[in-house]
Amino acid sequence: MNRFLITFILILSFATIIQAQELRSPNGQLVMNFSLQPQGVPAYQLSYKGKPVIKLSSLGLELKNDSKSLLNDFVITNAQTSAHDSTWEPVWGEVNKIRNHYNELAITLTQKETDRQMIIRFRLFDDGLGFRYEFPIQPKLVYFVIKEERTQFAMAGDHTAFWIAGDYDTQEYDYTTSRLSEIRKLSKDAITPNASQTPFSPTGVQTALMMKTDDGLYINLHEAALINYSCMHLNLDDTNMVFQSWLTPDATGDKGNLQAPTQSPWRTIMVSDDARTILASKMAYNLNEACKIEDTSWIKPMKYMGVWWEMITGKSSWSYTNDLPAVQLGITDYTTVKPNGTHGATTANVKRYIDFASQHGFDGLLVEGWNIGWEDWFGNEKDYVFDFVTPYPDFILAEIRDYARQKGVKMVMHHETSGSTRNYERHLDQAFRFMKDNGYDAVKTGYVGPILPKGYYHYDQWTVNHYQYVLEKAAEYKIMINAHEAVRPTGIARTYPNLIGNESARGTEFQAFGGSKPNHVTILPFTRLIGGPMDYTPGVFEMDISKLNPTNNSHCNSTLANQLALYVTLYSPLQMAADLPENYNRFLDAFQFIKDVAVDWDESTYLEAEPGQYITVARKAKRKGEWYVGNVNGETPRTATVSFGFLERGKTYIATIYADAADSHYKTNPQAYTIRKVVVTNTSKLSQRSAPGGGFAISIVEADKSQVKGLKKL
Ligand code: NOJ
Ligand code: CA
């Protein structure tokens, strides 16, 4: 070949690199195209099995106080492809091994006028795309402030979406199911009366956002590895069905204060024509860094009870007194004030729960309202409410500590911060040391109310950094964290598996605050759980809340069998049995399932799934032969089909099926259930009806001939 020809071929291939880059998923079904549009605007599009998922969408960031934003005027100065295939073992999880398999394309862009560089890194998995912005170390981009991230997600149609309104402070909403074009109209009504905040835009929604297209594609938009950045919402241009990123501002209105070298979180687009693939996806974890905690032996999944539901329902109180002993002024002597007579965390009551938890084999007991400050906090916005170490006079810590130890129950700490992040950071070391001194290994944190300092939000960069600081500090103390009202998880538990729980969505507590939609639990696994487990706190057996507190006429919109199923369908290494011992005592045969069910798994197989309608999943307990199946059902009664093909061939098992009774209904007859035992093998099939807001739970244990005698084969 002559020299000219070689040069010509080189120029030609360089030109193709420059104009457009294609990236395929390992199985070839997903195709991502990166291109530079006129004026040097970076853009991408994504297809699945030839169908458009994301139409041409531009990428970039608008900067504050900068002569030029990172939006246009780019040329491609490098494009690198690579492939990755590895397997890692999570400390806890739905499965014991996770495959991380993707093809990567890293595009280096140089802005001609400023000579600044930005890399956009794409990772294409078989179940979706992740991409992020990287800002390498460079002289012309050191400190910069984000005015807005301008990442687009152009939808290919007016899809059905399962959404909650955009909000900088809370995700504790019921989901609305509607067309994208209906979000504007419905978003006003979607806000529950309890919500303290209002949406930032009539078409703003939160992630993880779940969608379904008319031709049966399931699409999920979220983010992974939200570290030192603000939480992303999506704002819809509902004329063109284009979502654009909308970051949470801080107190000054800034959306991110960055210093290179750094990067954004990953923006994730999961897609499949099978809803079960979305539920089984491990993409969010795979896009996070490997575990940074060397010794993880102290991180243990657990089942716990709590002196909690009685306060949530209003049966008892967190506070000791109705007076105001002004903790922030240094008045900590509660023995001088009049008790209100309804305090829940008394030594005697806590011991009663310890007895019950111990008798039924629970690992832990959470006690809320044990520490001074609660009466100062309610209705006040003070910075100095809690010190996290001073118990109320009727909570005799040493006595409770010793009693719990003797009964084999681990006490779970509670730190309600009242949203005062600064106060919590001031006390953090002392609070964690106090925990270790008294045998507590896990803490439930909480951030109720507006964030203090004033003007900051639950989801801004500053507050995101607070949660991360607490998590990393906790790891130093070997403490597990279950954060309520914190930013929704984005797979960070891979890197810091001491994050064993998060609330960050509408949990069971709302069943005592007016009730949740009966199909809520069929949506959560497609949305909130994409980034990590939820401390949903299931296990309510008394649905009529007025039975606990006559002044509370809320109703738990779920059947009892549905409550059992949640231990399997809502994966979490931390599961609570939320109800009171006296309510469990009334239904001990059903309670047996909560006692038996595992909290850590070797395998998970999603059998059936449709967002908003039903989920059926089978899981194999970690290092055990037992399996558990859960089915949750939405409003419409339905018969599920369970094929037991997941069981080991040639083995015989006993399945105990906890199901809705024929006349069961989440509203009118929630406590009607049946329990039956049958023999199953891996060729068995079950047709099982679930009531409106119902479901079923199955425990499956291996059995020998003598045990199956007299039992029917399924
Ligand atoms: C809200 C939390 O979600 C709930 O679980 C807790 O009991 C209260 N805050 C009080 O901290
Ligand atoms: Ca909450």
Side-chain angles (χ1 to χ4, degrees):
M1 233 187 293
N2 76 36
R3 248 188 19 215
F4 291 107
L5 193 59
I6 295 172
T7 319
F8 178 73
I9 290 170
L10 275 177
I11 289 173
L12 205 71
S13 50
F14 192 58
T16 10
I17 289 173
I18 298 251
Q19 259 145 52
Q21 289 280 331
E22 185 186 273
L23 182 66
R24 287 177 172 267
S25 60
N27 67 6
Q29 292 180 345
L30 274 159
V31 181
M32 193 285 297
N33 286 288
F34 175 84
S35 58
L36 272 187
Q37 296 301 302
Q39 276 87 49
V41 174
Y44 75 107
Q45 49 196 315
L46 180 69
S47 68
Y48 173 80
K49 294 185 182 170
K51 289 182 188 168
V53 176
I54 303 286
K55 297 198 296 183
L56 190 69
S57 297
S58 56
L59 297 164
L61 298 113
E62 191 181 340
L63 302 186
K64 185 181 155 186
N65 299 336
D66 213 294
S67 56
K68 195 153 179 79
S69 285
L70 297 167
L71 292 167
N72 55 17
D73 197 24
F74 286 111
V75 289
I76 299 177
T77 42
N78 197 5
Q80 278 187 346
T81 53
S82 58
H84 181 98
D85 191 2
S86 64
T87 300
W88 56 281
E89 289 176 18
V91 173
W92 42 257
E94 292 182 272
V95 291
N96 57 14
K97 282 193 179 59
I98 294 177
R99 185 172 180 195
N100 188 9
H101 189 198
Y102 59 82
N103 290 330
E104 180 174 294
L105 171 65
I107 303 274
T108 303
L109 299 168
T110 301
Q111 197 169 39
K112 283 182 283 180
E113 193 185 308
T114 61
D115 199 24
R116 286 172 167 175
Q117 256 134 54
M118 173 167 88
I119 297 168
I120 307 181
R121 189 177 302 276
F122 297 91
R123 287 189 181 163
L124 198 48
F125 302 76
D126 285 342
D127 50 1
L129 173 70
F131 63 86
R132 70 176 182 188
Y133 303 97
E134 296 177 0
F135 311 97
I137 194 157
Q138 54 193 298
K140 302 275 175 57
L141 186 69
V142 183
Y143 304 105
F144 56 107
V145 180
I146 299 175
K147 191 165 174 204
E148 190 57 273
E149 182 183 315
R150 300 225 176 267
T151 302
Q152 289 186 340
F153 305 86
M155 296 295 118
D158 186 10
H159 306 328
T160 298
F162 303 83
W163 57 274
I164 51 177
D167 192 312
Y168 300 146
D169 281 298
T170 179
Q171 297 209 300
E172 299 186 12
Y173 297 127
D174 255 324
Y175 285 86
T176 300
T177 306
S178 80
R179 294 273 174 185
L180 293 175
S181 56
E182 294 170 313
I183 291 176
R184 179 184 296 275
K185 187 174 72 198
L186 296 171
S187 73
K188 203 165 31 63
D189 310 330
I191 302 291
T192 52
N194 319 48
S196 53
Q197 307 294 322
T198 47
F200 53 80
S201 147
T203 56
V205 295
Q206 306 201 31
T207 75
L209 176 69
M210 188 66 212
M211 284 171 282
K212 187 180 181 185
T213 71
D214 286 349
D215 56 356
L217 284 193
Y218 299 88
I219 303 172
N220 185 289
L221 304 180
H222 192 35
E223 63 181 309
L226 171 57
I227 303 248
N228 190 25
Y229 206 85
S230 92
C231 165
M232 178 182 72
H233 303 269
L234 299 169
N235 201 27
L236 182 68
D237 160 1
D238 52 359
T239 310
N240 301 301
M241 301 305 154
V242 178
F243 283 109
Q244 189 167 282
S245 51
W246 179 297
L247 301 180
T248 308
D250 67 15
T252 63
D254 293 347
K255 298 204 162 187
N257 286 270
L258 302 187
Q259 179 183 1
T262 188
Q263 69 277 317
S264 74
W266 297 90
R267 278 60 187 96
T268 61
I269 304 154
M270 290 173 6
V271 54
S272 178
D273 51 14
D274 186 337
R276 296 174 303 173
T277 308
I278 307 286
L279 297 179
S281 174
K282 297 288 171 282
M283 213 177 96
Y285 283 128
N286 279 331
L287 288 168
N288 276 270
E289 285 181 37
C291 181
K292 287 194 175 162
I293 301 173
E294 243 169 68
D295 168 21
T296 56
S297 60
W298 50 276
I299 301 172
K300 295 201 175 86
M302 67 156 129
K303 230 182 289 174
Y304 73 106
M305 294 191 67
V307 181
W308 176 72
W309 188 236
E310 54 180 88
M311 281 89 96
I312 290 289
T313 54
K315 184 184 191 302
S316 65
S317 66
W318 282 277
S319 55
Y320 171 77
T321 170
N322 293 339
D323 300 340
L324 196 68
V327 171
Q328 79 278 17
L329 299 177
I331 302 167
T332 56
D333 185 3
Y334 276 63
T335 55
T336 59
V337 298
K338 199 165 108 263
N340 60 17
T342 58
H343 186 218
T346 65
T347 305
N349 198 30
V350 171
K351 281 185 166 179
R352 188 172 73 90
Y353 276 83
I354 293 175
D355 286 342
F356 186 85
S358 165
Q359 184 193 341
H360 294 284
F362 283 83
D363 307 300
L365 180 72
L366 165 79
V367 181
E368 296 199 1
W370 68 276
N371 58 326
I372 63 168
W374 288 82
E375 42 289 289
D376 263 334
W377 167 41
F378 284 118
N380 294 289
E381 288 185 19
K382 292 180 194 135
D383 196 0
Y384 282 87
V385 172
F386 295 108
D387 70 3
F388 312 99
V389 293
T390 312
Y392 281 128
D394 56 350
F395 182 90
I396 304 173
L397 189 113
E399 190 179 326
I400 289 167
R401 179 193 62 206
D402 297 345
Y403 193 73
R405 191 171 290 156
Q406 180 200 326
K407 294 269 179 169
V409 174
K410 274 266 170 202
M411 296 301 291
V412 178
M413 177 49 80
H414 184 230
H415 291 162
E416 174 54 63
T417 68
S418 64
S420 180
T421 51
R422 209 164 48 182
N423 182 53
Y424 193 33
E425 287 178 16
R426 273 198 291 262
H427 289 91
L428 202 55
D429 275 293
Q430 160 182 301
F432 283 168
R433 227 174 290 125
F434 178 84
M435 279 179 61
K436 293 315 270 192
D437 290 348
N438 290 291
Y440 291 82
D441 293 337
V443 57
K444 169 180 170 179
T445 59
Y447 297 87
V448 171
I451 294 292
L452 293 171
K454 261 194 191 318
Y456 285 89
Y457 296 108
H458 282 72
Y459 306 150
D460 65 29
Q461 182 190 14
W462 195 85
T463 312
V464 163
N465 286 348
H466 164 82
Y467 308 130
Q468 190 62 27
Y469 174 72
V470 172
L471 182 62
E472 293 183 28
K473 170 83 56 188
E476 287 170 26
Y477 283 88
K478 298 197 174 31
I479 284 173
M480 294 175 272
I481 297 279
N482 167 25
H484 277 228
E485 292 88 39
V487 74
R488 74 279 187 289
T490 54
I492 283 166
R494 176 184 180 185
T495 317
Y496 296 97
N498 62 319
L499 183 60
I500 52 164
N502 264 124
E503 185 193 44
S504 314
R506 190 181 179 91
T508 298
E509 61 183 1
F510 278 84
Q511 301 283 22
F513 307 157
S516 294
K517 289 184 183 172
N519 74 347
H520 186 55
V521 293
T522 68
I523 300 173
L524 284 175
F526 286 99
T527 52
R528 164 59 186 78
L529 271 76
I530 293 297
M534 177 172 177
D535 183 35
Y536 182 77
T537 69
V540 173
F541 278 13
E542 180 49 73
M543 315 301 164
D544 178 357
I545 307 303
S546 72
K547 293 256 172 68
L548 286 82
N549 169 15
T551 66
N552 184 342
N553 55 21
S554 194
H555 182 89
C556 177
N557 293 322
S558 158
T559 69
L560 197 149
N562 174 284
Q563 289 291 309
L564 298 183
L566 295 174
Y567 290 88
V568 193
T569 59
L570 286 176
Y571 164 69
S572 178
L574 181 74
Q575 289 283 19
M576 187 184 210
D579 214 331
L580 311 184
E582 48 269 46
N583 287 336
Y584 289 135
N585 276 330
R586 292 162 54 205
F587 305 97
L588 281 176
D589 55 353
F591 186 55
Q592 188 63 42
F593 183 82
I594 301 180
K595 290 168 64 172
D596 292 342
V597 68
V599 283
D600 201 12
W601 311 95
D602 272 340
E603 280 176 57
S604 290
T605 310
Y606 286 90
L607 304 171
E608 306 175 306
E610 187 60 38
Q613 295 183 33
Y614 54 86
I615 293 170
T616 314
V617 60
R619 305 191 196 272
K620 182 169 181 277
K622 194 120 177 200
R623 286 184 285 276
K624 286 187 189 158
E626 297 159 17
W627 284 81
Y628 294 86
V629 176
N631 161 276
V632 283
N633 190 43
E635 282 267 5
T636 320
R638 177 177 175 272
T639 299
T641 313
V642 178
S643 303
F644 289 79
F646 50 81
L647 296 176
E648 222 177 290
R649 240 171 95 179
K651 286 195 170 163
T652 304
Y653 299 82
I654 296 176
T656 310
I657 305 170
Y658 304 75
D660 292 322
D663 56 350
S664 180
H665 187 283
Y666 70 87
K667 203 82 192 176
T668 52
N669 196 15
Q671 289 168 326
Y673 60 87
T674 63
I675 302 175
R676 63 189 205 275
K677 278 189 196 299
V678 286
V679 178
V680 293
T681 66
N682 86 321
T683 59
S684 303
K685 274 197 169 45
L686 169 74
S687 286
Q688 183 63 52
R689 183 185 174 276
S690 290
F696 56 87
I698 313 177
S699 66
I700 307 165
V701 289
E702 219 188 308
D704 59 37
K705 283 216 177 80
S706 68
Q707 292 166 304
V708 302
K709 233 167 133 190
L711 288 180
K712 274 214 184 106
K713 226 181 151 196
L714 188 71

